[in-house]
C-alpha cells in the first residue's frame, strides 16, 4: 500500500518524507488556503521534495478553463498529478488529460458509480472521501470495498483507489485490509501509525536494563 501525505505544509512534508515511507502528496484548495502560500510556489517546493505523484487541484469548474489551468500545473514538474472534481466537466477534462499522458486524480468521489466513470475516463487515481461519508452516517469504508471489488472485475482499468478524507489509523488499516492502492493521510495520522504504548514501555525497559550492564556498542 502506498502512503501519500494530505497537506500543503512543506515542513511536515520534509520531516515525513525523510522516513522514506512517503510515496506522494495530495493537496486541495482548502489545504493551499491553510498554508497561506501561492499554489505554484508550494507545489513546486513539494515536487522537489517528494518524487512521487503530487496532486494539485484545478480551481476552474468549466472544461476549457480546467485544461488551461492543468497546463500551468503540469509545467511545474513531471510528478504533478492534476486533480479534477468528479463532475461532467471534470471527467471530460480527465479523459482529455489522461489521453495526453497526464496523471489525473479525480476527487470528491462519494459513490461507486462515480468511481466507475472516473476509471472509464482514464483517471490515474480515484479519491473516495471516507471521513466525509462517515460524518453523514454512511460507511466510507463500504464504498472503498465496493470500488476495489468493481475495479478488480476489469483488469484493464489502471485507476488506483486512493483513500482520501482519512481521519484515523483505523481508516488506514481497514483500507489496507480491503486492498486499496493508496491512503492519503494527514501528518498527524501518519505519525499515529507508528505509535503503540507497549513499544514505548518495552523500549524504556530495554534501555534501563542496557544501562545497568554498563556496556557500549560503540566506545564513548
Ligand atoms: C485529498 O485528496 C482530499 O482532498 C482530502 O483527503 C480531504 O480530506 P478532508 O475531508 O479531511 O478535508
Amino acid at each position: 500500500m502506498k502512503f501519500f501525505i494530505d497537506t500543503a505544509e512543506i515542513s511536515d512534508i520534509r520531516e515525513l518524507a525523510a522516513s522514506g515511507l512517503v510515496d506522494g502528496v495530495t493537496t486541495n484548495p482548502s489545504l493551499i488556503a491553510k498554508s497561506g502560500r501561492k499554489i505554484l510556489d508550494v507545489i513546486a517546493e513539494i515536487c522537489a521534495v517528494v518524487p512521487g505523484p503530487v496532486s494539485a487541484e484545478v480551481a476552474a469548474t468549466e472544461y476549457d478553463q480546467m485544461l488551461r489551468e492543468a497546463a500551468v500545473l503540469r509545467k511545474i514538474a513531471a510528478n504533478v498529478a492534476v486533480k479534477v472534481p468528479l463532475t461532467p466537466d471534470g471527467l471530460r477534462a480527465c479523459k482529455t488529460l489522461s489521453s495526453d499522458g497526464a496523471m489525473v486524480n479525480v476527487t470528491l468521489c462519494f459513490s461507486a458509480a462515480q468511481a466507475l466513470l472516473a476509471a472509464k475516463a482514464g483517471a490515474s487515481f480515484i479519491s473516495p472521501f471516507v471521513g466525509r461519508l462517515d460524518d453523514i452516517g454512511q460507511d466510507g469504508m463500504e464504498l472503498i470495498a465496493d470500488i476495489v471489488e468493481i475495479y478488480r472485475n476489469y483488469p484493464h482499468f489502471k485507476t488506483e483507489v486512493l483513500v482520501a478524507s482519512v481521519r484515523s489509523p483505523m481508516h488506514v488499516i481497514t483500507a489496507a485490509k480491503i486492498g486499496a492502492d493508496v491512503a492519503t493521510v494527514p501528518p498527524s495520522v501518519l505519525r499515529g501509525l507508528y505509535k503503540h504504548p507497549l513499544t514505548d514501555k518495552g523500549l524504556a525497559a530495554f534501555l534501563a536494563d542496557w544501562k545497568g550492564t554498563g556496556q557500549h556498542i560503540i566506545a564513548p
Side-chain angles (χ1 to χ4, degrees), residues 6 26-28 83 105 107 127 129 132 164-167 184:
D6 197 26
T26 50
T27 67
N28 62 36
K83 210 173 182 192
N105 178 355
T107 189
S127 291
F129 279 30
R132 292 192 195 187
S165 190
V166 165
R167 303 273 165 80
T184 188

Side-chain angles (χ1 to χ4, degrees), residues 51-74:
V54 173
S55 291
E57 189 160 342
V58 297
T61 54
E62 180 270 326
Y63 171 77
D64 290 317
Q65 186 63 7
M66 280 184 187
L67 291 192
R68 283 191 280 273
E69 290 186 359
V72 173
L73 297 171
R74 289 175 72 187

Side-chain angles (χ1 to χ4, degrees), residues 189-213:
V189 172
L190 186 52
R191 292 188 185 104
L193 291 176
Y194 285 86
K195 292 201 167 77
H196 197 287
L198 290 181
T199 303
D200 299 338
K201 193 177 166 199
L203 182 59
F206 285 158
L207 292 178
D209 290 344
W210 179 248
K211 201 171 175 194
T213 70

Side-chain angles (χ1 to χ4, degrees), residues 2 104 118-126 151 154-161 181:
K2 291 178 216 165
V104 184
K120 284 183 69 66
S124 313
F125 302 102
I126 181 68
Y151 282 9
Y154 301 95
H156 66 280
F157 284 164
K158 298 298 172 223
T159 308
E160 295 187 46
V161 180
D181 304 283

Side-chain angles (χ1 to χ4, degrees), residues 28-205:
N28 62 36
S30 303
L31 293 170
I32 297 288
K34 196 171 156 205
S35 78
R37 300 188 57 204
K38 292 201 185 313
I39 182 168
L40 301 189
D41 295 343
V42 76
I43 296 295
E45 227 173 293
I46 297 170
C47 287
V49 174
V50 175
V54 173
S55 291
E57 189 160 342
V58 297
T61 54
E62 180 270 326
Y63 171 77
D64 290 317
Q65 186 63 7
M66 280 184 187
L67 291 192
R68 283 191 280 273
E69 290 186 359
V72 173
L73 297 171
R74 289 175 72 187
K75 269 197 204 122
I76 298 173
N79 55 328
V80 165
V82 178
K83 210 173 182 192
V84 298
L86 209 154
T87 60
D89 281 64
L91 289 186
R92 188 177 161 207
C94 174
K95 181 79 184 160
T96 303
L97 290 165
S98 59
S99 302
D100 190 43
M103 272 191 289
V104 184
N105 178 355
V106 176
T107 189
L108 290 167
C109 171
F110 293 97
S111 78
Q114 291 179 321
L116 192 52
L117 291 174
K120 284 183 69 66
S124 313
F125 302 102
I126 181 68
S127 291
F129 279 30
V130 293
R132 292 192 195 187
L133 279 172
D134 291 354
D135 289 346
I136 60 159
Q138 289 184 25
D139 185 349
M141 281 303 157
E142 211 172 280
L143 174 60
I144 301 302
D146 284 349
I147 298 171
V148 167
E149 182 185 342
I150 290 167
Y151 282 9
R152 278 196 185 133
N153 288 338
Y154 301 95
H156 66 280
F157 284 164
K158 298 298 172 223
T159 308
E160 295 187 46
V161 180
L162 193 172
V163 181
S165 190
V166 165
R167 303 273 165 80
S168 72
M170 275 317 293
H171 273 150
V172 180
I173 299 311
T174 309
K177 281 166 122 173
I178 292 168
D181 304 283
V182 192
T184 188
V185 298
S188 59
V189 172
L190 186 52
R191 292 188 185 104
L193 291 176
Y194 285 86
K195 292 201 167 77
H196 197 287
L198 290 181
T199 303
D200 299 338
K201 193 177 166 199
L203 182 59

